[in-house]
Amino acid sequence: MTGPRDRLIALFLIKALEQGSLFYIGDGNQKISVSDGRDVAHCLRLAGESQKANGQAYNVKSFDSTPRQLIETLAERLQLPAPEKHRSYFSAYVLASLVEGIWMLRGKENPPFTRHKVKVIGTPRLIDITKAKQELNYVPQYTCAATIDDIVSWYRTFT
């Protein structure tokens, strides 16, 4: 999940782009589903207002993309170069383990690069939202371009 005011994923990607340290895991073309936080809030509201939703769980997404598409769009909007480096899933996972270990030894929380991030970005993860669409009339409202534009606008006022 990401979107404007996301201080975890969006901020990590922006800082890594600015520092030139971002890389693709594999070829960066793994299909992933992305949820804009505002779409998640919208679906939660729909569920809260529906009798059908009692005791039910719903998947939410805004759009499908690839890490490459997300990062290249973000880089373009920020007028920064897109990454050229690639790492295998295995080497990214090992690097994330080292970063987590260093953070733990230093007594810090929230390492910037984690095994979870490698899993989420480095493997295909498509979400089926058919149930939310059928039972709640959920329709995603945010596209990749709109979400990234809003992230960039927020970031420019945040810094």
Side-chain angles (χ1 to χ4, degrees):
M1 182 171 70
T2 192
R5 296 177 297 284
D6 171 17
R7 295 176 187 226
L8 195 61
I9 297 168
L11 206 50
F12 164 76
L13 291 174
I14 291 169
K15 294 293 185 189
L17 277 169
E18 289 176 338
Q19 296 166 0
S21 61
L22 197 58
F23 57 85
Y24 297 110
I25 299 171
D27 65 4
N29 289 316
Q30 306 87 323
K31 289 294 269 179
I32 58 172
S33 295
V34 180
S35 302
D36 185 303
R38 297 166 294 181
D39 273 334
V40 174
H42 173 64
C43 191
L44 281 170
R45 181 174 179 193
L46 292 172
E49 294 171 349
S50 170
Q51 292 297 323
K52 290 181 187 177
N54 288 343
Q56 297 297 310
Y58 297 93
N59 292 326
V60 182
K61 73 176 174 184
S62 300
F63 54 89
D64 292 331
S65 187
T66 66
R68 178 179 292 281
Q69 180 187 8
L70 290 170
I71 291 166
E72 288 179 355
T73 305
L74 184 59
E76 176 189 316
R77 299 299 199 281
L78 291 166
Q79 299 178 329
L80 294 169
E84 295 180 13
K85 296 180 265 181
H86 296 262
R87 302 246 190 280
S88 70
Y89 183 88
F90 178 76
S91 66
Y93 198 84
V94 169
L95 178 60
S97 297
L98 291 171
V99 170
E100 288 175 355
I102 291 167
W103 245 245
M104 188 173 67
L105 289 172
R106 290 184 176 176
K108 293 183 174 184
E109 293 182 13
N110 301 320
F113 190 57
T114 65
R115 291 171 290 173
H116 178 71
K117 285 180 183 171
V118 171
K119 254 187 206 174
V120 169
I121 295 172
T123 58
R125 292 184 180 264
L126 294 176
I127 297 172
D128 180 5
I129 61 170
T130 303
K131 183 177 173 183
K133 284 181 170 183
Q134 291 175 346
E135 293 184 12
L136 303 175
N137 295 319
Y138 168 70
V139 178
Q141 299 177 2
Y142 295 92
T143 63
C144 178
T147 297
I148 290 179
D149 286 345
D150 291 347
I151 287 170
V152 171
S153 293
W154 163 78
Y155 179 69
R156 289 191 171 134
T157 62
F158 173 72
T159 54

